[in-house]
Amino acid sequence: MSGDLTARSGGLTLPRIGDRALWSFVGRRIGHAVLVLFCVATVSFFLVRISGDPVRQMLPPDATAAQETALRAQLGLDQPLLGQYVSYMTGLLHLDLGQSLFFHRPAFDVIAERLPATVTLAAGALVVVLVVAIPAGVVSALRRGTATDTTVMAAVLVGQSAPAFFVGILLILVFAVNLQMLPASGMGGIENLVLPAVTLGLYSIAMVARLLRSSLVDVLGEDYIRTARAKGLTGWRIVTAHGLRNASLPVVTVVGLEIGNLLGGAILTEQVFAWPGVGRLTVEAVTYRDYPLMQATVMFLATVFVVVNLLVDLSYAALDPRVRLS
Amino acid sequence: MTTATAGRTGAPARPASNTMWHAVRRALRRNHAAKVAIGVLFLVVIVGVFAPLIAPHDPNAQNLTLKLRPPFWSAGHQPGYPLGTDNLGRDVLSRIVYGTRISLLVGVSATLLSGVVGTAVGLVSGYYRGWRDQVFMRLADIQLAFPTILLALAIIAVLGPSLWFVILVLGLTGWVNYARVVRAEVLSLRSREFVVAARAIGDNDRQIMTRHLLPNITAPLVTIGTLQVAAMIIAEASLGYLGLGVPPSIPTWGGMLADGQLYLRSAWWIAVFSGAAIMLTTLSINVTGDMLRDVADPKAYTK
């Protein structure tokens, strides 16, 4: 209904500000995201309570009854369950994620402190993904069926099957222990970022390269590519001007979703490289039985995932009018 | 190729599994990587099943006089310990052999559990549509918003380490893939002639779902199931690596890898061999799964 009204620019149909269908789509998606977050908050609230009394688990075995009562009062666990739930949810609305037991500070502050490390790692990994996956995908699509293609696709399969922690350990063994080129762990200069970024990016490289290849192979079989060839365009120009532009839509979606995974999926990579980010904080919260902090990190990572998904959906709707009409 | 499509589009009189089996055999003649992968998987299963007969030592037997011995080709190795020993003098080979059992047990059980749950959800969602579909698909979105590993970590941290909890948690969180694919397939099948005919002769909803729809979606189910086993094995190893999977008394590949990382400078073989076991297994499963997907979806095959 509005597709015919949209302005054409640069081969992509961009939505107009007054586009009713677009805004109703945006509204529905945001409502949906809020609902999912509400449910995640509810699940994570009850998750900590499925063991019965979390206070028993949080305290050392030789804790006194007085300590137990004090901690129960501090956490508000002496209140009725419904009251606890309401105050937890109200707190979330004010970005109050509770008090960390181990750090004796608001969980929100602890997470905020670790966030830059996680973002740095995710950004590094994204650079690695784009630099490696795009050429790999394009080359194997163009050289389809050749030894190059087979090699790239075999590497992709290995990348998809390799668990992050094993790849990380192998990289440490080769580059830190044997060659002594790069540091094995910790955060610091750019040399500290290389191994974790490669480790974290590996799965995404495989995903993106594979998708770009199949998407480009589809596009290169289209009539307009034959037309471009008939017009006398050279092979490289056909790929850049016609092939990649049309093959990029599904790839943009996946790259967007991978950013969510890079931010939220770094638990193992951060653990392998002792990288002081939110992923490692999560493992620490579990190890120290810091339940409020655990709840907060679950909530935080789920929010990142939902928000990134929402942004990908919305940008996709902006790029492809068919999406917002469905 | 025609037989492969017949499995998905044909009437239920011809079981999909039969035609798929023929297509698999045909695909194997050309796909040498898949042949090797299936051979490796066969070996892995044999090792897992007959672990007590294959392992040269008790996987938990410690011998501190023999700690951190290198594998058989290095100087200073201990005869009878071909892949060396770990920091407590335990035999690395025996621990890997016993670890195979846990990986396979968790991988297969969790996959079956999530397959049953996901297929049931997908059948009901796609067949009835309406409010059931709405509820299940929203649940799927919520499930996807939790990073699986994080959810498993949190639940196991609360409930305590246990092999059965690991299987239960991974099994109950892995249903979304199945549900989505089954739902999409059922949506396209539900108005087909054989379903209408089944309803006309008086079959009830349950009979239609189990006898007519289910046999027609076995091909995609087998494909997802295969790939899922690899994902589950990696998830179990991840939990083991973080020290929050099965109890530490049970040898697992992930747990060995975590121990091995501590001794990476002096004894690389602990981490490398256990990691190689994980990779060899998951890679073989993925190669097999890719082959099955190509068979089930001939369009992807020609690319």
Side-chain angles (χ1 to χ4, degrees):
Chain A
M1 54 184 111
S2 58
D4 50 335
L5 297 176
T6 49
R8 288 202 79 78
S9 87
L12 292 172
T13 331
L14 292 174
R16 287 161 25 126
I17 295 300
D19 190 333
R20 265 256 200 79
L22 176 71
W23 290 115
S24 110
F25 177 81
V26 170
R28 262 181 295 141
R29 294 303 300 162
I30 291 178
H32 185 180
V34 170
L35 178 70
V36 168
L37 282 180
F38 172 79
C39 293
V40 168
T42 308
V43 171
S44 63
F45 173 83
F46 287 105
L47 190 65
V48 170
R49 282 151 184 87
I50 48 177
S51 63
D53 187 358
V55 170
R56 278 276 181 67
Q57 304 222 13
M58 285 182 225
L59 288 170
D62 57 347
T64 62
Q67 281 174 313
E68 224 181 284
T69 320
L71 182 59
R72 190 166 286 129
Q74 186 201 329
L75 295 174
L77 289 173
D78 46 357
Q79 307 287 318
L81 195 62
L82 191 68
Q84 289 180 38
Y85 177 67
V86 170
S87 65
Y88 170 69
M89 294 304 258
T90 326
L92 282 185
L93 288 179
H94 300 98
L95 289 182
D96 174 12
L97 296 172
Q99 193 80 10
S100 161
L101 297 175
F102 183 79
F103 295 98
H104 303 290
R105 282 191 299 145
F108 184 86
D109 295 357
V110 180
I111 293 177
E113 203 177 278
R114 300 290 194 98
L115 193 57
T118 295
V119 173
T120 309
L121 179 55
L126 186 64
V127 170
V128 174
V129 170
L130 296 179
V131 167
V132 178
I134 292 177
V138 171
V139 165
S140 67
L142 292 182
R143 305 256 179 281
R144 185 153 57 100
T146 64
T148 318
D149 180 29
T150 315
T151 314
V152 171
M153 284 301 112
V156 161
L157 200 59
V158 172
Q160 267 182 327
S161 310
F165 45 93
F166 182 47
V167 175
I169 289 173
L170 279 186
L171 290 176
I172 291 176
L173 188 62
V174 173
F175 293 99
V177 176
N178 285 337
L179 300 176
Q180 310 212 327
M181 279 165 58
L182 294 162
S185 66
M187 206 179 155
I190 191 100
E191 70 276 7
N192 286 80
L193 184 60
V194 178
L195 296 184
V198 171
T199 305
L200 182 59
L202 196 70
Y203 185 81
S204 305
I205 291 175
M207 284 282 293
V208 173
R210 192 174 191 160
L211 186 75
L212 182 59
R213 174 185 178 275
S214 77
S215 177
L216 197 55
V217 164
D218 274 350
V219 168
L220 291 178
E222 298 282 344
D223 291 343
Y224 56 80
I225 297 291
R226 208 176 42 213
T227 310
R229 204 163 273 147
K231 281 197 315 193
L233 289 186
T234 59
W236 190 241
R237 221 169 126 59
I238 292 174
V239 172
T240 50
H242 296 271
L244 268 183
R245 170 169 272 171
N246 285 296
S248 62
L249 262 182
V251 177
V252 167
T253 315
V254 167
V255 168
L257 293 176
E258 286 302 310
I259 293 175
N261 283 337
L262 292 179
L263 279 169
I267 295 179
L268 286 162
T269 307
E270 289 186 1
Q271 187 69 12
V272 172
F273 292 97
W275 188 266
V278 181
R280 191 134 198 272
L281 182 67
T282 310
V283 179
E284 285 168 26
V286 170
T287 318
Y288 301 141
R289 296 184 174 278
D290 188 341
Y291 286 73
L293 185 59
M294 214 162 87
Q295 230 172 17
T297 49
V298 168
M299 205 51 225
F300 169 79
L301 292 174
T303 309
V304 168
F305 185 84
V306 169
V307 169
V308 169
N309 259 302
L310 179 69
L311 292 179
V312 169
D313 267 9
L314 295 184
S315 65
Y316 204 50
L319 293 174
D320 186 347
R322 280 169 302 182
V323 174
R324 56 179 181 267
L325 294 176
S326 64
Chain B
M1 223 61 74
T2 44
T3 45
T5 38
R8 278 169 47 140
T9 55
R14 195 174 185 186
S17 52
N18 236 344
T19 45
M20 183 157 177
W21 176 236
H22 285 299
V24 166
R25 282 217 307 221
R26 191 130 34 94
L28 274 182
R29 249 175 259 153
R30 285 183 284 178
N31 192 337
H32 300 294
K35 238 182 282 181
V36 174
I38 289 176
V40 170
L41 280 185
F42 184 70
L43 270 179
V44 170
V45 172
I46 296 279
V47 167
V49 172
F50 297 105
L53 302 175
I54 293 169
H57 300 274
D58 176 348
N60 287 319
Q62 304 182 5
N63 187 344
L64 291 176
T65 57
L66 290 178
K67 66 177 187 178
L68 301 180
R69 293 294 172 100
F72 67 89
W73 62 82
S74 306
H77 75 272
Q78 178 71 23
Y81 294 83
L83 297 186
T85 60
D86 68 6
N87 50 313
L88 296 172
R90 297 174 296 193
D91 180 31
V92 170
L93 176 64
S94 302
R95 289 181 71 73
I96 288 178
V97 167
Y98 272 88
T100 313
R101 291 195 136 179
I102 301 301
S103 286
L104 289 182
L105 180 67
V106 173
V108 173
S109 328
T111 300
L112 287 178
L113 183 59
S114 58
V116 169
V117 174
T119 307
V121 167
L123 274 173
V124 169
S125 272
Y127 183 73
Y128 289 111
R129 299 189 291 188
W131 65 269
R132 293 179 184 87
D133 187 27
Q134 288 289 325
V135 170
F136 281 136
M137 289 306 112
R138 286 301 85 80
L139 274 177
D141 290 338
I142 296 163
Q143 173 72 67
L144 286 181
F146 279 107
T148 306
I149 190 86
L150 188 57
L151 193 61
L153 263 183
I155 292 178
I156 287 160
V158 172
L159 295 179
S162 142
L163 179 59
W164 302 112
F165 284 154
V166 171
I167 292 176
L168 210 61
V169 169
L170 294 181
L172 292 180
T173 50
W175 59 279
V176 177
N177 267 345
Y178 292 95
R180 292 208 157 157
V181 172
V182 169
R183 174 179 174 273
E185 294 279 330
V186 169
L187 279 177
S188 74
L189 287 174
R190 67 189 296 281
S191 51
R192 297 278 298 273
E193 290 89 344
F194 67 88
V195 178
V196 177
R199 196 174 295 126
I201 61 169
D203 279 2
N204 62 31
D205 289 346
R206 227 188 78 196
Q207 286 169 322
I208 292 175
M209 280 190 266
T210 54
R211 293 202 197 145
H212 299 285
L213 293 174
L214 193 57
N216 278 289
I217 50 175
T218 42
L221 275 183
V222 168
T223 308
I224 313 173
T226 311
L227 297 171
Q228 184 98 334
V229 173
M232 291 297 183
I233 288 178
I234 291 185
E236 187 276 323
S238 308
L239 288 174
Y241 174 76
L242 295 173
L244 283 155
V246 304
S249 59
I250 304 176
T252 62
W253 293 344
M256 290 181 74
L257 207 48
D259 290 345
Q261 191 182 1
L262 298 175
Y263 295 90
L264 209 51
R265 277 166 213 279
S266 51
W268 55 266
W269 49 88
I270 310 170
V272 169
F273 289 138
S274 51
I278 301 175
M279 253 198 87
L280 197 64
T281 309
T282 52
L283 185 61
S284 304
I285 294 172
N286 283 342
V287 170
T288 310
D290 273 4
M291 182 269 293
L292 290 176
R293 180 173 50 205
D294 293 343
V295 168
D297 183 5
K299 195 166 155 261
Y301 197 69
T302 51
K303 276 178 196 167

